Structures are given as C-alpha cells and as structure tokens.
Amino acid sequence: MKLKKIALATILGAGTLMSASYAQTEIQWWHSMNGALNDWVNDLAKEFNESQTDYKVVPVFKGDYEQSMTAGIAAIRSGNAPDILQVFEVGTASMIYSKGVTKSVSEIMKENDIPFDINAYIPAVAGYYASPEGDLLSLPFNSSTTVMYYNKDEFKKAGLDPDKAPKTWKEVRAATEALKASGSKCPMTISWMGWTQLESFSAWHNVPYSTKNNGFGGMDAELQFNSPLHVKHFENLSDMAKNGLFVYKGRSVASQPTFLSGECAIFMGSSGFYSGLKRDAKFDFAETTLPYYDDVEGAPQNTVIGGASLWVLNGKPAENYKGVAKFFEFISQPERAAQSHMRTGYLPITKEAFEITEKTGFYNENPGADVPVQQMIRDTNDNTRGLRLGNMLQIRTIVDEETEQVWTGKKSPKDALDSAVERGNALLKRFERVNK
C-alpha cells in the first residue's frame, strides 16, 4: 500500500513538473481599442495564441488613449507594468524621453534573431517612431491619419454630386451652404480639433506647427500655429459656425456619433473611424482627403500620423521579450497587416501590405479607402514629418479650451490662437527642464 502511494505521488509529481515545463509565458498587452476595434485586437491575439503553444498574449482594454497612458505610467511607477503598452502618437516624446522605461523594437527583434527591416515600413510611419540612429523605438500598430467623410445621401438631397468630393475649403463652404438650404441642422462637424485643424492642417499646407522641425530637432521648440494662415483658417471656421454651416459637437471623438447617426453631413476625423462606419452606418458614405486652401503654395503636401504604436516596457524576463518579438513578427506579416488595414481603415503600415491590398481589388470595391495611404506616402519634409513635442496631450487640451472660446464668441480667432501658443510654450519649456 505504501509503495502504491509512493508510486502515485511520483506520477503526480512528474505530471506537475511536465505541466510546469510546458506552461505558457503570458504576455500582457494593454490597449485602448473599443467597439469593432476591440474585436480586431482580440482576434489578433486569439490567432497568435492558436498558432503556437509557448506564449499567450492577453489583451486588456484600459480605456481611451489618455486613460490607458495614465494607467501605464502608474503601473510603471509601481513595478506592475504590462509587457506591451499601446500609446497614442502624442505620447511618443514622453515615452522617448522616459529613460530606462522602454526597450526598442529593433533591439528585441535583434536579441531574438527575428529578421526585421525598418525600410519595409511606409517611410512617414517608420520615421515618426524611429530614433536618429534608425532604430524602431515602438511598433507602428494602428496608425491613422486625418480624413474627411461625407454622407452621400445628404449630398443627393442637397442637389450635390455624391461622387464629387469637395477638395478645397471654398468647395466645402459651398457644399455646407447647399446642405443647410436642404434642411440640414449640422452640415459639418469636426473631431480632434487640435489634431485635424492645426497639426494636420499645418502639414497639409506645408507650414510649420513649431520650430525645431516640429520638435524633431530638439526639445527647445516653440509653437507657431498662430501664423496668418492659421488665423485665416479659424476666422473661416468661426464665420461658418456663426452661419450654422459648422457645428461644434465637443472634444476628442464626441462628434463621431453625430455623423454616424446621420445628423451631421460632413465629418473630419480619423481614418480609423472607417471600420465603425462600415459596420454601423445606415447610409451611403465616402471617404476623401482633407480640404485645403488652393492659394497656399505647396498645398496639399501630406497629413500627419495619428493612432498609436506598441511600446515594449523594460524589466521583463528574456522569455517575455521572446514572446513579444514573435507576436510582433506575427502581426507584421504582410498578409495579416493587409487584412488589418482592410478591416479597420488604419494604414497598412508596410509597403508590401499596401501592394497586397491593391491586388485584391479592395480599393476599387471601396472607393476612398486608399485615401489615408495616398496622403501618407507623399514625400515628407521637416514641416510634414509629424510632431515630436513634449506635453502634447496637455497642449491639445489648451487648444480645445481656447478654440471653444471662438465658437461661443468670447474670443477672436487670433486672440485664441495667440493664447494657445503662449500657454503651450510654457508647457514645452517645463518639459525641457524636466527632461534635460
């Protein structure tokens, strides 16, 4: 009896050791994708987990971009950080200058002998997340850019050609007047005011947003978005607001539901909104480029990157980094990247993924879906590479606060932009002092 018990214990012990030796390494991935995009993230993790048995990626929704970054910072300070943290593009400078907090994608790929070529990525995307030495600091994941959507059914109702998108601000003005005349209570609305109407607007018109190559040349940059062109643009928006042609619906993505419901006929926002529209819109819509002022030399140029990238956090076991590297390799495969692009409306990230998408006929079947790519593959320059400025989250909040004074008639566009620049510069100087 005693021998049987010993034998049983030995078998059980061996079984425990065997299961322990085959235990999966868990990779925690904190993200901000909700709705249809949350389904996409979960599907990517599920596909990877089912493709091998050594690692298990666990996606965890942590709220919107601001909330997830706040949660990530708190977790880093407490020593409980995830392996992967999704950070939106305006948090890039903060991540770069947080010494010892992150581990570069190029480094973990090299350490784990996984072939990796930064030149495979769309230059405007890779350049934004690369170090001066050419290392990729974070993995481009859901890169978006600013686009314009319009309700083709409302265009028909207003007597406008639904297949002819307005390209200039003069044409947008004419379209909103026709929409209002046909009974629209919200001819046009805008999301992410600072991103779409200052950051992308500047790049689209080939003018600087700040000095020092928009922050790429150093932390001692100063904001410049109160130029005569920027003031002229906000005077135009202010006049449209007074005449009921533009209706401000709130900060961030607060205006998205008003376009999705059919209340507003024209909407400017993220190309990443495409997946939600494709799934839920009850009307025919089109995606097109941002409008521009055709009397500005060099316009249009290219828009700036938006969305987010995946940062790998420091202080994890080597096995975790191996799992992260394999997961990044998995989701970066051209076919999978192309599928993600077609599903979400985010950029295809790599040149090969774009070519694969073209060959499928997707762009012919979904006119306008190539707009984000076409906007981003134009040649970039120092004015249009993107922004690498500290405290950008707070600067965007300042822009919202100041421009809201314009829509309510409490400030002129010039006073609002001058104040936003002054307040924003104070934040940039503070960021420089802290991170010098």
Side-chain angles (χ1 to χ4, degrees):
M1 194 70 176
K2 204 179 247 186
L3 286 172
K4 284 185 181 178
K5 285 182 179 179
I6 292 170
L8 182 60
T10 302
I11 292 167
L12 289 173
T16 303
L17 286 171
M18 286 178 68
S19 63
S21 66
Y22 286 102
Q24 290 179 310
T25 298
E26 194 169 282
I27 308 297
Q28 286 284 316
W29 174 20
W30 290 7
H31 69 87
S32 299
M33 302 284 91
N34 59 10
L37 296 173
N38 185 57
D39 296 338
W40 166 54
V41 163
N42 287 336
D43 286 346
L44 284 176
K46 184 172 181 286
E47 289 167 13
F48 173 73
N49 293 341
E50 291 175 349
S51 72
Q52 44 73 52
T53 58
D54 295 325
Y55 308 97
K56 181 181 181 182
V57 171
V58 181
V60 182
F61 177 70
K62 284 289 180 177
D64 63 27
Y65 285 136
E66 295 177 28
Q67 292 168 335
S68 64
M69 188 165 181
T70 300
I73 291 169
I76 290 165
R77 288 172 178 166
S78 67
N80 297 308
D83 300 278
I84 304 168
L85 178 65
Q86 183 189 30
V87 178
F88 60 161
E89 91 286 3
V90 296
T92 300
S94 296
M95 298 301 288
I96 288 172
Y97 292 113
S98 298
K99 295 173 184 176
V101 169
T102 66
K103 196 174 176 72
S104 81
V105 171
S106 293
E107 184 182 357
I108 68 161
M109 292 304 207
K110 184 178 180 181
E111 287 178 352
N112 291 284
D113 297 321
I114 292 178
F116 181 75
D117 181 12
I118 192 172
N119 295 317
Y121 291 81
I122 292 174
V125 175
Y128 189 83
Y129 295 114
S131 70
E133 296 75 32
D135 289 331
L136 195 62
L137 302 173
S138 61
L139 186 78
F141 177 59
N142 58 311
S143 293
S144 63
T145 193
T146 46
V147 296
M148 182 168 75
Y149 300 96
Y150 64 94
N151 185 323
K152 296 178 80 170
D153 294 348
E154 287 296 306
F155 266 49
K156 288 178 189 174
K157 182 180 170 184
L160 298 166
D161 185 346
D163 297 317
K164 187 179 179 183
K167 295 295 183 185
T168 67
W169 275 102
K170 183 178 179 181
E171 291 172 356
V172 167
R173 176 79 182 229
T176 56
E177 287 172 346
L179 288 161
K180 183 184 177 185
S182 70
S184 175
K185 296 287 191 262
C186 178
M188 182 183 83
T189 192
I190 294 170
S191 70
W192 293 109
M193 189 63 62
W195 180 40
T196 62
Q197 304 308 308
L198 285 176
E199 297 164 34
S200 262
F201 176 87
S202 299
W204 199 226
H205 289 82
N206 197 21
V207 296
Y209 178 90
S210 81
T211 60
K212 291 286 182 177
N213 301 338
N214 289 338
F216 277 85
M219 284 189 285
D220 54 336
E222 293 186 343
L223 302 173
Q224 291 185 310
F225 58 71
N226 58 344
S227 74
L229 175 61
H230 293 100
V231 172
K232 168 191 168 182
H233 178 50
F234 273 80
E235 285 174 344
N236 180 38
L237 289 176
S238 175
D239 186 64
M240 290 179 71
K242 289 172 185 174
N243 286 282
L245 307 177
F246 158 55
V247 182
Y248 178 68
K249 292 290 187 177
R251 302 180 185 184
S252 182
V253 294
S255 58
Q256 278 188 181
T258 65
F259 181 73
L260 182 60
S261 68
E263 177 189 349
C264 298
I266 297 175
F267 170 77
M268 295 182 203
S270 171
S271 60
F273 185 35
Y274 176 82
S275 61
L277 281 174
K278 189 175 181 181
R279 187 184 70 173
D280 300 327
K282 307 300 182 190
F283 53 85
D284 196 11
F285 70 91
E287 181 178 359
T288 188
T289 57
L290 287 182
Y292 64 98
Y293 292 99
D294 54 6
D295 59 345
V296 176
E297 188 177 350
Q301 177 63 31
N302 63 274
T303 50
V304 295
I305 197 170
S309 64
L310 304 182
W311 290 83
V312 185
L313 301 183
N314 226 333
K316 300 295 179 179
E319 191 61 20
N320 288 54
Y321 290 128
K322 188 174 182 180
V324 169
K326 287 188 174 296
F327 178 58
F328 283 0
E329 179 187 33
F330 181 84
I331 63 176
S332 298
Q333 290 168 0
E335 293 80 9
R336 188 159 286 103
Q339 289 168 2
S340 290
H341 163 56
M342 290 184 276
R343 177 173 177 174
T344 66
Y346 285 117
L347 294 168
I349 305 301
T350 66
K351 301 168 193 172
E352 192 174 350
F354 175 51
E355 291 165 1
I356 289 171
T357 305
E358 271 191 314
K359 288 175 183 175
T360 66
F362 177 78
Y363 297 130
N364 293 329
E365 295 167 11
N366 298 273
D370 62 336
V371 165
V373 189
Q374 297 297 344
Q375 285 186 168
M376 291 297 291
I377 62 176
R378 296 167 184 255
D379 290 335
T380 59
N381 58 39
D382 288 342
N383 289 331
T384 68
R385 185 181 177 189
L387 309 176
R388 190 168 285 179
L389 301 167
N391 288 331
M392 270 303 295
L393 178 58
Q394 296 91 325
I395 289 171
R396 279 189 178 174
T397 298
I398 287 172
V399 166
D400 285 334
E401 291 171 354
E402 293 293 342
T403 55
E404 282 169 353
Q405 302 292 304
V406 174
W407 320 135
T408 57
K410 293 178 181 176
K411 276 190 178 182
S412 70
K414 185 176 188 311
D415 287 344
L417 293 182
D418 284 347
S419 180
V421 164
E422 182 181 355
R423 293 173 63 191
N425 281 337
L427 287 176
L428 289 180
K429 288 188 184 303
R430 187 186 308 165
F431 184 84
E432 184 186 6
R433 283 197 304 271
V434 170
N435 292 284
K436 244 183 177 178

